[in-house]
Amino acid sequence: MPQTLEKHFKTLYPWAESSDIHTSYAPYRVCPLGAHIDHQYGIVTGFALDKGVTLRFLISTDGAVNLDSLNFPEHVSFDLGNIGQKQGNWGDYAKGAAFALSQKYQLRNGIKGVVRGTLPVGGLSSSAAVVLCYLNALCLANDITLTPSELIRTALFAENGYVGINVGKLDQSCEVLCKRQHLLALDTRDDSYTLIPAPDTLGRFEIAIFYSGVSRVLGSGYNTRVDEAKSAAYSLKALSGMEYGLYKDTRLRDVPPLVYEEYRDRLPLVFAKRAQHYYTEMDRVEKGIEAWKRGDLREFGKLVFASGYSSIHAWETGSPELRAIYEITEHVQGIYGCRFSGAGFKGCCMALIDPAYKKEIEQQVTREYLGQFPQYKDLFSVHFCSTDDGVRVE
């Protein structure tokens, strides 16, 4: 437990008995392959990291939620009987968790505590991690037991149905299902998944997080691309004579690759680019899973770099800062592959690296990045992580 979190908690609740204090933890996640396709019911891969969000909390019997954060200044409080509308701040995720859980369960007991994330916000699915922390805390407080699939669906509904961001289920699934030294392969259409152990031939690797210094916030840019991908699917169905049903139910996973190949030239350019990314990314996922099983990190890393390229040129995301990091890592020794982590709107990049080169990687990427963006001297940071297990609460 980070001392700063424990110290702050004791300052706010000095009277709390140790037996009454609980901890909810959710790891951050990275998706090496499967970028931007979970909302199209694609197949994605993921690792949970050994860094994440921790909530220290007490159970309150008055039905109130009171939260403080070491990452944000505002105090958040609301009543479970009157959750209210979102306010556009970090407290919306706690409200979203309570709202989603209350759709099926009656919540009598609240929580009060302090939450802390251990890495800069942006691209690591911190929003899903914090929602899962709140959900597990509220479940413990109210004697509710959720299966892993129920926990994932409830967390997803909190972001989709309350916060209003159209994320897919990749984030929540990684943070619930992942295991240390395993690659998660998740089919987001039917929720089937496989945890593929690292073979003995794989060798040592770590995950580098390059934080650009610019915090990421999902919003209209993310949602617009989701709609463009769905529009591509709807158009392809109509052009090919497929039964297309309701727009809201349409995904590119519904459209066979051969249909895309035949009719892609008749799509509006922007729709065609989104579809191109989807189909090529699905191919990279398939090839990446096979490379992982063979223990071929170099091939796996090449596919990660290719995913990053497609994110820039076909999905058309990536701030100037993130593109710079991506381009720098292409020529740094010891980096197998790199791409944006998350949606690509500010935030950070992730890379699979050879741990023997950690010092050189940090120095070279830092030097070249700050040479282009000296204004982020006090904000840019490099973090090295290992894979880890998923959520837990006690």
Side-chain angles (χ1 to χ4, degrees):
M1 179 66 56
Q3 183 62 32
T4 51
L5 176 58
E6 186 68 13
K7 182 178 180 181
H8 195 69
F9 181 88
K10 288 182 176 179
T11 299
L12 292 175
Y13 306 103
W15 42 265
E17 298 288 340
S18 59
S19 59
D20 295 329
I21 302 172
H22 303 277
T23 302
S24 181
Y25 173 79
Y28 297 130
R29 69 96 188 100
V30 292
C31 169
L33 293 168
H36 320 300
I37 64 173
D38 56 331
H39 44 70
Q40 298 305 305
Y41 294 166
I43 299 173
V44 299
T45 67
F47 298 115
L49 303 181
D50 61 353
K51 295 177 174 63
V53 176
T54 302
L55 171 67
R56 289 283 265 172
F57 68 98
L58 299 166
I59 297 171
S60 58
T61 58
D62 59 0
V65 173
N66 284 278
L67 297 167
D68 291 274
S69 170
L70 293 184
N71 304 98
F72 300 99
E74 306 95 341
H75 173 78
V76 168
S77 63
F78 60 92
D79 192 281
L80 291 172
N82 184 24
I83 295 170
Q85 301 297 312
K86 61 182 180 180
Q87 301 297 310
N89 61 22
W90 69 273
D92 287 347
Y93 294 95
K95 290 183 175 182
F99 175 79
L101 199 58
S102 69
Q103 302 306 295
K104 188 174 179 181
Y105 301 95
Q106 185 173 358
L107 303 180
R108 294 185 174 86
N109 295 329
I111 56 174
K112 46 192 173 186
V114 182
V115 66
R116 176 181 187 257
T118 53
L119 289 180
V121 173
L124 301 172
S125 189
S126 53
S127 60
V130 76
V131 167
L132 287 164
C133 276
Y134 298 141
L135 280 175
N136 274 331
L138 288 168
C139 283
L140 182 69
N142 290 277
D143 295 319
I144 297 168
T145 300
L146 299 181
T147 66
S149 61
E150 288 173 331
L151 182 59
I152 291 166
R153 287 197 301 269
T154 307
L156 180 63
F157 181 73
E159 291 204 64
N160 291 168
Y162 185 86
V163 180
I165 301 297
N166 295 328
V167 294
K169 63 186 71 169
L170 162 68
D171 301 344
Q172 299 82 3
S173 298
C174 285
E175 293 167 356
V176 171
L177 301 173
C178 277
K179 289 180 62 178
R180 182 180 292 108
Q181 287 298 102
H182 286 67
L183 177 70
L184 173 69
L186 171 73
D187 189 328
T188 60
R189 179 165 60 181
D190 61 12
D191 296 339
S192 61
Y193 68 94
T194 306
L195 287 165
I196 309 168
D200 294 337
T201 54
L202 189 72
R204 295 178 62 235
F205 76 96
E206 290 186 20
I207 298 164
I209 303 298
F210 303 106
Y211 175 60
S212 66
V214 186
S215 293
R216 160 187 160 271
V217 178
L218 289 182
S220 60
Y222 176 89
N223 287 343
T224 297
R225 281 162 178 75
V226 173
D227 281 345
E228 288 164 351
K230 291 180 67 175
S231 297
Y234 209 62
S235 299
L236 287 168
K237 285 184 175 184
L239 288 167
S240 64
M242 293 177 63
E243 184 176 341
Y244 49 84
L246 298 176
Y247 176 82
K248 69 180 182 66
D249 298 325
T250 299
R251 303 291 188 281
L252 280 166
R253 185 68 180 276
D254 305 332
V255 182
L258 288 177
V259 172
Y260 161 70
E261 292 292 340
E262 183 173 354
Y263 294 99
R264 63 182 179 181
D265 292 340
R266 295 174 62 181
L267 292 174
L269 180 60
V270 68
F271 295 174
K273 286 184 175 182
R274 306 302 179 254
Q276 174 191 334
H277 174 79
Y278 169 83
Y279 289 105
T280 58
E281 189 72 359
M282 284 284 280
D283 182 62
R284 284 185 286 270
V285 168
E286 181 180 351
K287 291 176 179 175
I289 289 171
E290 293 307 311
W292 175 267
K293 290 177 179 178
R294 294 194 307 270
D296 191 344
L297 264 180
R298 294 191 180 280
E299 178 60 23
F300 191 90
K302 289 178 182 177
L303 292 163
V304 174
F305 269 132
S307 175
Y309 183 90
S310 182
S311 292
I312 293 171
H313 297 284
W315 197 251
E316 294 185 304
T317 189
S319 64
E321 294 89 350
L322 290 185
R323 292 189 183 204
I325 294 172
Y326 170 82
E327 291 166 0
I328 290 166
T329 61
E330 288 185 293
H331 61 258
V332 175
Q333 188 174 12
I335 295 181
Y336 295 114
C338 177
R339 77 164 195 86
F340 309 150
S341 186
F345 297 93
K346 307 180 183 180
C348 65
C349 290
M350 59 78 59
L352 294 174
I353 67 143
D354 181 343
Y357 293 91
K358 286 201 301 191
K359 183 178 179 181
E360 293 84 354
I361 289 169
E362 180 172 7
Q363 289 177 344
Q364 184 174 350
V365 175
T366 301
R367 181 178 65 253
E368 293 192 27
Y369 179 73
L370 293 181
Q372 296 183 51
F373 300 97
Q375 66 268 35
Y376 299 126
K377 181 178 182 298
D378 297 325
L379 296 172
F380 176 79
S381 56
V382 181
H383 309 268
F384 296 101
C385 308
S386 299
T387 63
D388 200 3
D389 298 330
V391 296
R392 49 257 196 197
V393 62
E394 58 186 21

